Amino acid sequence: MAPDNIHTMVVSGDVLIRATQPLQPIPEADVVCYGLWLDASVAKNHGVFVSSRQTPTVLKQMLQKPSVQTLTDLQRDHFYLTDIGIWLLSDRAINLLMKKCNLSPLTSRLSPLKNYDLYSEFGCSLGTDPTILDDELRQLSVAILPLAGGEFYHFGTSREMISSTLRLQNLVNDQREIMHLDRKPHPSIFVQNTVMEIPFTEENSNIWIENSHIGKHWHLTHDHVITGVPENDWEISLAPGECIDVVPVGEKDYEVRRYRIDEPLNSNELAERANLRRLFAQRKAFRRQNWTALAANWCHSVFYQLDLADAASEFQKENIPMPLPLPHEAPLMTRIHDAMFRGDSDKAFALLRKGLLSWSEECGVRSESTPSADFSLQGNLTPHSTLLTPRNNSTLLTPRNNSTLLTPRNNSTLLTPRKQIAEDQIVWGRSPVRIDIAGGWTDTPPYCLMEGGNVINLAIELNGQPPLQTYIRPSKEPRIVLRSIDLGAVEVIETTEQLMDFTHVGSPFSIPKAALVLAGFGTSLSPLKSQLESFGSGIELTLLSAIPAGSGLGTSSILAATVLGALNDFCGLGWDKNEIGHRTLMLEQMLTTGGGWQDQFGGVLGGVKLLQTGRGFEQNPSVRWLPNDLWTQPEFRPCHLLYYTGITRTAKQILSEIVRRMFLNDNAELRLLREMKEHTMEMYEAIQQNDFQRMGLMMRKTWLQNQNLDSGTNPPAVAALTAFIDDLCLGYKLPGAGGGGYLYMIAKDPEAAARIKQILSDHRQNRNARFVDLSLSTTGLQISRS
């Protein structure tokens, strides 16, 4: 985040800069310039920032395109950074620049504008020993920052255009990470919006073709740049290094420029004579043909990696026929994207269910159609790997549904619950809830399936207690009795049909019913009463959720994990916490509530932790625990505040729209999700370094990212609330999907925290609004017996 005095950034147009590491804090200065440590053979073609070895961040002078010898001599007692064209300018610096151009408010409007070069004049007037003496500019403070992990791609010449694109393309060489099958005989061939009637051969390399028609009588060799060629049947043979630009001029004519690839060019004159209307009409015609070709050649093109909402709009606007249906053997994610491209969301989610079954087959489970089953997994499901098979691949439930029966393979046996406690014992499960502080939404399918997810969250107790609890005890009657203390509800289950009726979202007992099925009840061909008699008792299961619905703290997922954990102990199922987390994912699929993996793992596992997954259907989060000091040390603990707003909103409404855009490869959303993943790793570093202020400010950025992803995250009522305390907080956010529930705040200091409590108590906007004490849970899910 830039200092308050900086509001302007200047970026050079013919350079792409890629940063592979987090940016360092931007210092207070009038001019902040980024540079890279580049070899003299590269630096000689650019500006360089020179500084003394004793004061490497202080600019001594800027040199424009110094010789290799000059740079070699400088290195004896100086450092030099190559200017990469990224400058941040304070308002003071901008005012002086305007003055140099006769744009200052103090100059007459009749004064002619003056050309003034930012780099060769303004830049060379900066520093402690500038090459251009200007007392006024010399007073500006300058900071020089090396771009950590920076990569420099210059597109200033024809050859650099190809070589820089090749370097970018080759950043990923792992064939497992490349989603389309390459057909190019050489990696340095780049074709865009072009109709090709000849194939490339091993003779071809270093070729750039753009907005052109290459007819069947053309012959290409290597080192070509070809642009703007209209539809033709010309017979043309290009010698190595020969290039062609074609531009429409007037209403009928074309102007052709032939040149060598290393020949310096000035394109301004040719561009000024171009008929832009004809030029863009030609591009549009080629683009229409290319949409069809890209879709038809999906196996070797990037079609299904494009923004599919934009593609569908282009197909409709240009009246382009829809592509043929994909073959059955096409990759599953490609078929899912194709279904969404065609507007068939039901098919897309059905394919996700099929993907889960396919993954189970890889783990040693086969699927068979059966008309007699009655276990429903229908609805808008989201995919998770490992949901259909236990981690040890030794036992499996037999879900009974109207489409699929899962049966074990390789001598595995059906999961059979066995009572593990005495008649007078009670199994007691309790869990904290979770607050996500970075990376939420990156754990949500299909994004996590395509690119993996990074989330940092913390497990918390409320008012000194884990707020989610469940109690299970045996009963004499062969039936299941479900109770909810907080809802005051009771349901008695005596038949398999009653137990299987768990798909009503919002039902008070959907979660325990589905959990009992996952534990093996109701999956036998015998009646439920007979199964319970064989089990040795009936079951009484009591729930307590001491937290309001729609809290944003992952309540439903963690409650499901708590029930599964208690059933695991009650029935001797042998699941560890990792398996309980995966079973919870399966339960959510059964309830059609969707969502990601961070909620249950955030509550089942205690403390502050970074959860990460890679791409693919097997979403098995790795865990890296972080130090707790920023939440537990006396100077920091009072700064963490949790306030119930009294505003509720269901996450499913937010989830469905965000997931739809994920399936469509919405460019803005995918870019934001990638930024959120990177931001999570920056938050990880801040917590590792026990940097309280940075951690709080980064959570503020997390909240802004959540709002950019979905504007409904911050409704007017919440915005009005946070306006009261904004200047007293380092950061704040609504956990989870947002829109309501709890507000988590990190005050600047204990005094600010006290003021926040007073202000919000004086401005209660809801009669249910209140502060709740929070404390870090280091244990996560706990299971014990009486």
Side-chain angles (χ1 to χ4, degrees):
M1 189 174 295
D4 292 339
N5 67 320
I6 293 180
H7 298 97
T8 305
M9 180 169 70
V10 178
V11 182
S12 173
D14 63 354
V15 171
L16 172 68
I17 304 300
R18 182 173 178 267
T20 60
Q21 298 179 20
L23 298 177
Q24 63 267 60
I26 300 172
E28 293 272 359
D30 290 309
V31 181
V32 180
C33 300
Y34 284 94
L36 286 178
W37 306 108
L38 297 179
D39 183 78
S41 62
V42 178
K44 68 182 179 64
N45 297 317
H46 305 276
V48 298
F49 304 115
V50 179
S51 59
S52 168
R53 287 180 176 265
Q54 284 69 43
T55 54
T57 61
V58 177
L59 178 68
K60 179 178 180 180
Q61 59 186 211
M62 183 178 185
L63 303 178
Q64 285 296 323
K65 298 185 178 180
S67 66
V68 172
Q69 185 60 50
T70 298
L71 294 173
T72 302
D73 294 341
L74 277 172
Q75 283 190 303
R76 295 169 187 166
D77 48 12
H78 293 83
F79 293 120
Y80 70 85
L81 279 169
T82 303
D83 177 22
I84 56 176
I86 300 177
W87 291 33
L88 304 179
L89 302 174
S90 70
D91 296 340
R92 180 187 177 198
I94 288 294
N95 287 332
L96 289 175
L97 268 173
M98 293 174 66
K99 181 179 178 181
K100 294 294 181 182
C101 299
N102 282 339
L103 280 172
S104 170
L106 300 178
T107 59
S108 170
R109 292 187 179 181
L110 299 178
S111 301
L113 294 179
K114 177 183 176 184
N115 290 327
Y116 187 74
D117 190 85
L118 177 68
Y119 302 108
S120 63
E121 294 182 271
F122 181 76
C124 291
S125 301
L126 302 175
T128 59
D129 186 20
T131 56
I132 298 177
L133 296 179
D134 187 310
D135 291 338
E136 201 169 27
L137 296 181
R138 193 173 180 178
Q139 301 305 311
L140 294 175
S141 58
V142 184
I144 306 301
L145 299 180
L147 185 64
E151 298 173 359
F152 183 79
Y153 301 90
H154 194 219
F155 292 81
T157 67
S158 298
R159 192 175 290 279
E160 285 177 331
M161 180 173 64
I162 297 174
S163 62
S164 290
T165 305
L166 179 63
R167 286 175 58 209
L168 285 167
Q169 171 188 266
N170 291 345
L171 287 173
V172 178
N173 288 313
D174 188 338
Q175 296 176 17
R176 296 169 297 180
E177 301 296 323
I178 300 173
M179 296 176 65
H180 62 279
L181 305 177
D182 201 352
R183 269 186 164 176
K184 298 191 295 186
H186 195 280
S188 63
I189 299 174
F190 302 100
V191 180
Q192 303 173 74
N193 200 36
T194 293
V195 176
M196 292 287 299
E197 294 189 6
I198 59 171
F200 289 111
T201 69
E202 294 181 0
E203 179 187 13
N204 304 133
S205 63
N206 290 338
I207 294 177
W208 182 285
I209 306 176
E210 182 178 346
N211 296 311
S212 294
H213 177 272
I214 307 300
K216 56 187 176 182
H217 300 300
W218 285 60
H219 176 258
L220 307 180
T221 53
H222 57 83
D223 296 294
H224 305 311
V225 174
I226 304 170
T227 68
V229 178
E231 185 177 354
N232 67 89
D233 59 356
W234 304 333
E235 187 170 332
I236 292 181
S237 179
L238 293 183
E242 195 168 13
C243 305
I244 294 179
D245 291 338
V246 180
V247 174
V249 294
E251 294 302 319
K252 295 182 179 180
D253 298 331
Y254 291 92
E255 186 167 329
V256 180
R257 176 174 62 187
R258 300 180 66 177
Y259 59 95
R260 304 294 299 176
I261 192 168
D262 294 314
E263 181 181 342
L265 295 174
N266 184 343
S267 300
N268 291 339
E269 292 183 3
L270 185 60
E272 290 173 357
R273 295 194 295 273
N275 184 324
L276 296 182
R277 178 182 53 78
R278 290 178 59 204
L279 179 66
F280 281 94
Q282 177 176 297
R283 290 183 179 180
K284 185 177 180 180
F286 286 148
R287 184 180 178 88
R288 190 179 189 282
Q289 295 181 66
N290 271 270
W291 274 122
T292 301
L294 282 170
N297 196 35
W298 60 270
C299 189
H300 300 281
S301 77
V302 296
F303 182 78
Y304 288 106
Q305 296 168 251
L306 301 175
D307 186 324
L308 293 175
D310 176 68
S313 174
E314 287 289 314
F315 269 70
Q316 183 177 19
K317 183 172 62 177
E318 298 299 326
N319 198 27
I320 302 172
M322 291 294 283
L324 294 174
L326 294 182
H328 179 73
E329 60 270 16
L332 177 62
M333 284 304 300
T334 302
R335 285 187 284 150
I336 292 170
H337 284 308
D338 180 66
M340 292 301 291
F341 167 69
R342 298 171 188 273
D344 191 347
S345 59
D346 290 341
K347 181 179 179 180
F349 284 107
L351 286 169
L352 282 176
R353 290 195 294 272
K354 185 173 182 178
L356 296 177
L357 299 180
S358 297
W359 176 253
S360 71
E361 290 180 358
E362 293 180 18
C363 297
V365 182
R366 60 187 175 88
S367 60
E368 297 177 350
S369 298
T370 173
S372 62
D374 56 12
F375 180 115
S376 175
L377 282 176
Q378 296 183 6
N380 288 349
L381 304 186
T382 53
H384 295 281
S385 67
T386 69
L387 302 189
L388 303 177
T389 177
R391 310 309 297 168
N392 60 12
N393 298 329
S394 61
T395 59
L396 187 77
L397 303 179
T398 307
R400 300 163 60 193
N401 55 55
N402 57 7
S403 60
T404 305
L405 173 67
L406 297 180
T407 57
R409 178 193 288 175
N410 301 333
N411 299 320
S412 58
T413 58
L414 295 177
L415 182 62
T416 303
R418 302 182 186 280
K419 191 174 69 171
Q420 298 293 308
I421 66 171
E423 296 297 331
D424 62 348
Q425 278 188 303
I426 295 176
V427 173
W428 177 27
R430 59 260 188 221
S431 294
V433 285
R434 69 95 187 95
I435 292 177
D436 56 303
I437 60 174
W441 290 113
T442 70
D443 67 308
T444 305
Y447 178 77
C448 63
L449 305 181
M450 298 185 291
E451 302 193 17
N454 294 346
V455 178
I456 293 176
N457 62 28
L458 47 139
I460 62 165
E461 296 182 350
L462 305 182
N463 295 325
Q465 296 292 329
L468 303 177
Q469 305 193 22
T470 188
Y471 310 86
I472 307 178
R473 59 180 293 174
S475 63
K476 294 181 180 180
E477 296 292 327
R479 63 183 185 178
I480 297 172
V481 180
L482 304 176
R483 294 187 176 90
S484 171
I485 296 175
D486 53 290
L487 297 178
V490 179
E491 184 173 341
V492 178
I493 299 172
E494 296 181 328
T495 67
T496 299
E497 288 72 25
Q498 288 176 300
L499 182 61
M500 292 296 180
D501 185 26
F502 53 72
T503 57
H504 301 300
V505 177
S507 167
F509 299 116
S510 291
I511 287 175
K513 285 181 180 179
L516 285 160
V517 172
L518 283 173
F521 294 99
T523 60
S524 169
L525 296 179
S526 302
L528 180 62
K529 181 179 179 181
S530 300
Q531 189 179 9
L532 290 171
E533 288 173 343
S534 299
F535 180 71
S537 73
I539 298 172
E540 292 185 10
L541 192 155
T542 302
L543 303 176
L544 170 62
S545 177
I547 193 167
S551 66
L553 300 179
T555 307
S556 60
S557 296
I558 301 173
L559 180 61
T562 309
V563 174
L564 286 168
L567 283 170
N568 170 57
D569 188 70
F570 187 80
C571 301
L573 301 175
W575 298 336
D576 60 14
K577 285 188 174 182
N578 187 52
E579 180 62 25
I580 290 170
H582 284 284
R583 291 280 170 175
T584 306
L585 294 172
M586 185 175 185
L587 185 147
E588 290 188 319
Q589 303 307 311
M590 293 160 61
L591 300 183
T592 75
T593 51
W597 40 253
Q598 71 130 326
D599 291 351
Q600 50 269 38
F601 285 102
V604 167
L605 305 175
V608 185
K609 62 270 181 195
L610 168 66
L611 300 165
Q612 292 180 292
T613 63
R615 64 187 296 265
F617 273 84
E618 187 173 12
Q619 292 292 294
N620 185 19
S622 64
V623 186
R624 284 195 269 177
W625 271 273
L626 286 155
N628 298 333
D629 297 26
L630 297 182
W631 285 266
T632 58
Q633 290 300 310
E635 65 268 35
F636 300 131
R637 185 170 180 175
C639 300
H640 298 276
L641 303 174
L642 192 63
Y643 182 76
Y644 180 59
T645 65
I647 305 165
T648 60
R649 181 188 184 194
T650 60
K652 194 169 184 180
Q653 175 186 354
I654 308 172
L655 176 69
S656 60
E657 177 57 24
I658 290 177
V659 168
R660 186 188 70 84
R661 295 197 300 265
M662 288 178 183
F663 274 125
L664 290 171
N665 297 331
D666 181 271
N667 183 53
E669 182 164 301
L670 293 185
R671 184 169 58 246
L672 180 57
L673 287 165
R674 289 167 187 148
E675 291 175 3
M676 294 167 80
K677 279 187 65 178
E678 294 175 4
H679 172 67
T680 303
M681 300 313 297
E682 294 178 27
M683 176 72 85
Y684 176 83
E685 292 295 330
I687 298 172
Q688 284 278 30
Q689 296 166 9
N690 272 342
D691 191 332
F692 178 73
Q693 182 175 24
R694 186 181 172 202
M695 182 272 292
L697 292 174
M698 295 193 74
M699 197 179 77
R700 180 181 288 266
K701 182 177 179 180
T702 299
W703 178 232
L704 293 175
Q705 289 175 333
N706 289 167
Q707 293 175 73
N708 289 335
L709 197 61
D710 174 63
S711 58
T713 294
N714 187 22
V718 172
L721 192 69
T722 56
F724 288 120
I725 49 86
D726 182 80
D727 61 338
L728 296 171
C729 292
L730 291 173
Y732 51 80
K733 75 181 295 288
L734 299 178
Y742 282 83
L743 174 65
Y744 175 48
M745 296 163 280
I746 301 178
K748 292 180 177 178
D749 50 51
E751 291 75 18
R755 290 182 60 193
I756 290 170
K757 287 184 176 181
Q758 184 63 52
I759 290 171
L760 292 186
S761 297
D762 292 343
H763 295 85
R764 288 179 61 192
Q765 297 183 319
N766 187 296
R767 65 181 181 179
N768 293 326
R770 59 191 179 272
F771 278 96
V772 178
D773 290 336
L774 72 86
S775 56
L776 196 67
S777 168
T778 57
T779 56
L781 169 66
Q782 300 177 76
I783 305 294
S784 57
R785 298 182 184 182
S786 62

